[in-house]
Amino acid sequence: MGIRLGSFFTDADEVSIDAITLFVALLCACIVIGHLLEENRWFNESITSLFIGLGTGVVILLTSSGRKSHILEFDEQLFFIYLLPPIIFNAGFQVKKKQFFQNFMIIMSFGAVGTLISFAIVALGASQLFKKLDIGFLEMGDYLAIGAILSATDSVCTLQVLNQNETPLLYSLVFGEGVVNDAMSVVLFNAIQKFDVSHVNSGIVWQFLGNFMTLFISSTSLGISIGLLSAFIIKKLYIGRHSTDREVALMALMAYLSYVMAELFNWSGILTVFFCGIVMSHYTWHSVDKSSRVTTKHGFATLSFIAEVFIFVYVGMDALDMEKWRFVSKSPAKSIGLSSVLLGLVLLGRAAFVFPLSFLINLTKRSDDKIGFKQQVTIWWAGLMRGAVSMALAYNKFAKSGHTQLPGNAIMITSTITVVLFSTLVFGMLTKPLVRWLLPLSGHSSSMVPSEPSSPKSLTIPLLGNVQDSEANIGGRNIPRPTSLRMLLSTPTHTVHMYWRKFDNAFMRPVFGGRGFVPDIPGSPTEMSNESPLNSIR
């Protein structure tokens, strides 16, 4: 998403305050209209922004005599550098860590393995079906790129409907899968651009898997390291004694530093900034001044919200750009057929891993812990929407500097835009009624998979949790604890959580701070269990 500004209908290189003014006014309009439609069963914030972008594009198109429909020029690099980081960081900063890490293996199964399955089905299906539509200008590398482009989901619509307090498991699965999926799609896309895909063999496949694991570990480690560094600096110096502004600025800048450093090393900035957000919310956030906590919580959420609205407004405006559609107008039937094929492959690719993987996951769970069919349908539906990541990757592959000069590139760009618009508008508008029908509010407690201990005898201890009792002593009754080996064999995740919490309390929090740890610096904030209502969401 470019920030190269231009007047409405002159060259993009000419800076115009008019363009900035109009776009800021559009963002304000999105917020106001989105608030008025808050309770509407069909619309949410992203769909409202998309409609406003489409309407504004029509107005600009008519006023400019059909020359252009947008006031900013698309640049996928600026999208990844400026707009994506605050969204992903806030996702990690606000996530309920207990739910996320308790379901980490399921999230990785859907986000990593599922993305590979969807990628393979879309790429293979496109390579076979496009030949019947007489699309002969694509090579093997193009088909693989299409698979990566259309494997990038946009779960914003569903997450705006799901409530992480009422549907904790579904929210954590959809949310976590979306983050891992975005990172996986970008990694796949970049790998395809680097490898010689004309000679695919088992060696290249293993090389790719090795590169992905290296990238995942490196990116995650970098995010965790910078998050811990920020916690250590703020805890030791306690900058908030003199200036909360410096404290907030340091947190924001170090979060952004994690992203740009990952991009500098050609790692995954998405994974890096996401885990940096998780670490900062667990350690750094609890060592800053009370006013800084409120500022960072709402400040990061505000930046993320503005970036999301900006993206959807611009997607709506750019979708009507005549330069791309001029080539397609010569063969509308081919364009419609191409978009229909891609949309069908998206539906098929999503179903091909959600239901089989859910079946395999359920085999390892107790009868009362399984992912029900209605939850599976919701997870499948949540991943059908495609958004700005798909558009950015499509521009990167099939366009240069936002322009589509070749007919083949124009067809692929417009087909991707069609899939994004149709999936966001149609699937997005049906999301709220579907979720309410599948998961009625009155039935959340019974229909959802329990994500927290429902019995006092439960020995489940969450990773990064808040419960401070170390023994299973509830209601004055001592409940015998099984041996560590027995717990590891029966509930390995819960056992790892228990040992992690002991390690965290003994070694990590004294160094980096965190909830429950009283700092040894005079005048620094102390952590009381009932200190602030904000703690209830951490």
Side-chain angles (χ1 to χ4, degrees):
M1 300 278 176
I3 312 298
R4 287 183 287 177
L5 303 175
S7 61
F8 285 16
F9 319 121
T10 58
D11 293 338
D13 294 333
E14 298 179 11
V15 176
S16 172
I17 193 66
D18 297 339
I20 303 176
T21 303
L22 177 60
F23 217 94
V24 172
L26 288 176
L27 297 180
C28 294
C30 290
I31 295 173
V32 173
I33 297 175
H35 171 72
L36 295 176
L37 297 176
E38 183 74 24
E39 300 301 324
N40 189 282
R41 65 177 299 182
W42 301 103
F43 288 88
N44 56 37
E45 205 81 49
S46 57
I47 296 176
T48 302
S49 303
L50 194 57
F51 269 119
I52 291 177
L54 287 169
T56 306
V58 170
V59 173
I60 297 177
L61 195 63
L62 295 175
T63 311
S64 66
S65 301
R67 287 199 301 271
K68 61 171 59 179
S69 66
H70 52 76
I71 56 177
L72 302 179
E73 186 176 310
F74 191 99
D75 188 335
E76 72 282 351
Q77 292 299 324
L78 291 178
F79 161 72
F80 283 109
I81 293 175
Y82 294 113
L83 293 178
L84 195 59
I87 297 175
I88 302 300
F89 174 78
N90 184 66
F93 193 75
Q94 303 286 355
V95 68
K96 282 184 175 292
K97 298 177 286 292
K98 178 176 67 174
Q99 298 295 338
F100 180 82
F101 284 102
Q102 278 184 338
N103 302 301
F104 185 74
M105 295 308 298
I106 303 177
I107 290 171
M108 289 303 300
S109 298
F110 284 148
V113 179
T115 302
L116 285 174
I117 295 174
S118 177
F119 158 76
I121 289 178
V122 173
L124 181 62
S127 65
Q128 298 301 315
L129 296 176
F130 280 16
K131 295 177 182 178
K132 298 182 179 180
L133 295 174
D134 194 22
I135 308 292
F137 54 84
L138 298 177
E139 299 177 350
M140 187 60 189
D142 297 322
Y143 292 120
L144 294 177
I146 291 171
I149 290 169
L150 293 179
S151 295
T153 65
D154 187 346
S155 304
V156 172
C157 292
T158 306
L159 290 180
Q160 289 178 351
V161 177
L162 294 177
N163 185 301
Q164 62 177 328
N165 294 318
E166 297 171 352
T167 57
L169 173 67
L170 275 185
Y171 192 95
S172 65
L173 292 184
V174 173
F175 163 78
E177 182 211 340
V179 175
V180 177
N181 168 272
D182 284 346
M184 187 72 178
S185 299
V186 174
V187 171
L188 274 172
F189 183 84
N190 291 334
I192 292 167
Q193 302 297 92
K194 295 178 181 179
F195 284 119
D196 181 12
V197 295
S198 59
H199 300 87
V200 178
N201 52 48
S202 59
I204 291 182
V205 173
W206 286 111
Q207 183 181 356
F208 168 76
L209 293 176
N211 289 345
F212 173 75
M213 291 304 302
T214 301
L215 182 142
F216 183 89
I217 295 173
S218 302
S219 302
T220 303
S221 300
L222 178 62
I224 294 174
S225 300
I226 294 183
L228 291 176
L229 178 62
S230 71
F232 182 79
I233 293 175
I234 289 179
K235 176 180 177 295
K236 290 299 181 182
L237 300 181
Y238 185 40
I239 302 173
R241 284 179 296 179
H242 305 293
S243 173
T244 57
D245 295 338
R246 294 176 185 172
E247 205 168 42
V248 174
L250 183 63
M251 285 186 66
L253 290 174
M254 293 198 72
Y256 190 64
L257 176 65
S258 69
Y259 186 89
V260 293
M261 283 187 64
E263 294 298 315
L264 179 66
F265 297 145
N266 292 319
W267 295 344
S268 173
I270 296 176
L271 286 174
T272 299
V273 77
F274 176 71
F275 280 96
C276 181
I278 291 179
V279 173
M280 279 192 172
S281 70
H282 185 58
Y283 295 111
T284 313
W285 191 78
H286 294 282
S287 297
V288 300
D289 185 79
K290 291 171 63 175
S291 60
S292 297
R293 296 180 195 174
V294 177
T295 303
T296 52
K297 175 183 179 295
H298 294 288
F300 294 148
T302 300
L303 289 175
S304 173
F305 174 77
I306 293 175
E308 289 178 3
V309 173
F310 183 98
I311 289 171
F312 281 106
V313 170
Y314 188 83
V315 167
M317 296 173 64
D318 188 71
L320 298 176
D321 185 31
M322 287 297 101
E323 180 184 275
K324 296 183 285 289
W325 296 99
R326 189 176 297 113
F327 296 103
V328 179
S329 61
K330 299 177 183 178
S331 55
K334 181 182 294 186
S335 177
I336 295 174
L338 192 65
S339 301
S340 301
V341 167
L342 292 176
L343 192 61
L345 290 174
V346 168
L347 295 169
L348 178 62
R350 183 77 185 166
F353 75 83
V354 170
F355 299 106
L357 288 181
S358 298
F359 173 77
L360 295 176
I361 291 170
N362 284 339
L363 294 178
T364 65
K365 291 182 172 292
R366 299 180 308 231
S367 58
D368 60 340
D369 232 12
K370 297 181 183 296
I371 305 176
F373 180 73
K374 290 183 177 181
Q375 286 79 21
Q376 296 177 34
V377 173
T378 305
I379 295 171
W380 169 73
W381 186 270
L384 294 181
M385 275 72 80
R386 296 297 181 266
V389 175
S390 294
M391 283 192 60
L393 295 179
Y395 270 90
N396 184 287
K397 178 63 180 179
F398 298 107
K400 298 297 182 182
S401 301
H403 297 289
T404 49
Q405 303 295 340
L406 299 177
N409 290 344
I411 291 176
M412 292 310 306
I413 293 291
T414 53
S415 298
T416 303
I417 291 175
T418 301
V419 172
V420 169
L421 289 179
F422 184 89
S423 62
T424 301
L425 293 178
V426 178
F427 297 155
M429 292 178 67
L430 294 175
T431 295
K432 193 175 292 186
L434 179 68
V435 171
R436 289 182 177 178
W437 176 65
L438 289 174
L439 309 170
L441 183 62
S442 59
H444 281 167
S445 60
S446 60
S447 64
M448 299 308 303
V449 178
S451 56
E452 293 187 359
S454 57
S455 168
K457 295 183 180 181
S458 174
L459 295 175
T460 302
I461 300 179
L463 173 66
L464 306 177
N466 307 322
V467 184
Q468 300 299 324
D469 52 314
S470 59
E471 298 295 330
N473 186 353
I474 302 174
R477 292 177 292 124
N478 290 321
I479 301 175
R481 178 185 295 275
T483 63
S484 297
L485 179 61
R486 182 180 174 185
M487 286 183 64
L488 183 61
L489 294 177
S490 59
T491 55
T493 306
H494 300 159
T495 307
V496 172
H497 292 168
M498 181 188 68
Y499 283 116
W500 159 254
R501 204 192 72 183
K502 289 182 177 180
F503 174 79
D504 189 33
N505 290 336
F507 299 101
M508 300 297 289
R509 295 190 183 193
V511 177
F512 300 105
R515 177 187 293 173
F517 177 76
V518 180
D520 54 359
I521 302 176
S524 60
T526 59
E527 296 297 328
M528 306 299 293
S529 59
N530 58 352
E531 175 184 13
S532 170
L534 291 177
N535 286 341
S536 63
I537 68 164
R538 309 312 296 173

